[in-house]
Amino acid sequence: MEKLNFTLGAVRNLRSSVRQCFEKLADGTGPEQSEENNAKFLLEFQENFNDINHQIKELEGIINSLQVPPAPYYLGNTTYLAQETTQDRQALYSQLVNSYKWIDKVPRYPAVHDHSLLAYNNLNVNSLRRSYIYNSQKRGRVQYSTCNTPDPDHTDNLFSEISHPNTTYKVCRPFGSSAVVLITISHVLKAALVCKGVLIEWVSVKGFDEHIDFDDLFAESRYAVFRKVQENTQAAMLHFFSPTLPDLAIKSYMAWFHSYSRLFVEPCKRCGKFLATGLPPTWRDLRTLEPYHEECKN
């Protein structure tokens, strides 16, 4: 175990050194461009690169010296972590135990059984509703618009009218009446908009070389830059929402979304750098569409 722990420590040190090297590369030489600064930057990078090569050779030697264990290591309850890596589900066992204890008491308390039966009936009636409470009475409120209209032709016509350079929009319906709009912006990114009528309910952003899977539209991109872009697009989705003018809201949102066509070629409007903390400017101003880093937008 000591050799294994020493090997894991060497791996952590190598990863830390590689990360620091790329962070220095992302920061660059700074706003002052001079031969002295460039020479100093190249010298520091060469030292970091040689240090990384040295650590890699040491790690290879350590790995070659490891021996196959005669029996698997006993890792206790940590062996179950590989079965479910999602953070919010790692405490599933304790929740199941509490649920079992609660259900075990149901026959002893008729009121609990009646409550469970009532909840079951409500959930079955409202399986596709956003609310678990069913109300058959008509509400005395005015329907503002057709933002959640089930008419598919209205959604198709709306996105057919939207046109931006080097951007394509394709409307498909893999889930029935709800539309999924596939957006491809130049060679930069892909996105999927899940719409109920012309009401956008979810936005998924992926890299241009990634595949959008309809079976799991909630899966995030493997690139940090597009995960950050997805967070910003979802925030902008709420900003542009308008129940009184849904068509105009969609067109304004698409115009804002198209500003990401220059994601990797425009510097930050405030600091003037292309990269900050290893990422390009992932935020676009909601009015001017100017690019900003996450640290510079406030």
Side-chain angles (χ1 to χ4, degrees), residues 84-238:
E84 181 58 72
T85 58
T86 307
Q87 186 174 3
D88 57 349
R89 295 183 182 178
Q90 288 179 0
L92 183 62
Y93 176 76
S94 59
Q95 296 177 4
L96 290 176
V97 171
N98 293 333
S99 300
Y100 175 78
K101 291 180 180 179
W102 185 83
I103 296 173
D104 189 45
K105 296 178 182 179
V106 169
R108 307 176 190 176
Y109 303 97
V112 177
H113 183 269
D114 295 340
H115 175 75
S116 301
L117 182 60
L118 179 61
Y120 172 77
N121 293 331
N122 282 336
L123 291 174
N124 278 344
V125 172
N126 299 276
S127 59
L128 298 178
R129 296 175 181 268
R130 290 189 177 185
S131 173
Y132 296 140
I133 302 174
Y134 178 73
N135 188 2
S136 60
Q137 298 179 355
K138 294 183 179 180
R139 295 184 180 181
R141 66 177 184 180
V142 179
Q143 297 295 331
Y144 292 104
S145 63
T146 58
C147 63
N148 59 347
T149 177
D151 184 15
D153 294 334
H154 180 74
T155 305
D156 296 344
N157 295 335
L158 175 62
F159 281 96
S160 63
E161 296 174 358
I162 300 175
S163 177
H164 296 104
N166 301 322
T167 303
T168 59
Y169 302 92
K170 180 181 179 182
V171 181
C172 54
R173 290 178 172 81
F175 310 119
S177 60
S178 297
V180 177
V181 183
L182 299 178
I183 304 174
T184 303
I185 300 180
S186 186
H187 292 279
V188 180
L189 60 84
K190 297 178 181 178
L193 275 63
V194 181
C195 302
K196 184 178 181 182
V198 291
L199 171 63
I200 302 176
E201 295 189 329
W202 182 256
V203 182
S204 177
V205 179
K206 298 290 186 68
F208 182 79
D209 59 337
E210 294 183 281
H211 175 68
I212 295 180
D213 188 4
F214 289 119
D215 295 332
D216 192 6
L217 289 175
F218 294 92
E220 295 183 340
S221 171
R222 65 175 183 266
Y223 302 112
V225 57
F226 294 114
R227 291 196 297 267
K228 183 59 67 175
V229 170
Q230 177 172 319
E231 294 178 5
N232 294 331
T233 54
Q234 291 174 356
M237 172 188 68
L238 301 177

Side-chain angles (χ1 to χ4, degrees), residues 4-21:
L4 182 60
N5 291 331
F6 183 73
T7 305
L8 294 176
V11 173
R12 287 193 297 268
N13 294 334
L14 177 59
R15 294 181 62 182
S16 177
S17 299
V18 172
R19 179 180 179 180
Q20 292 177 3
C21 181

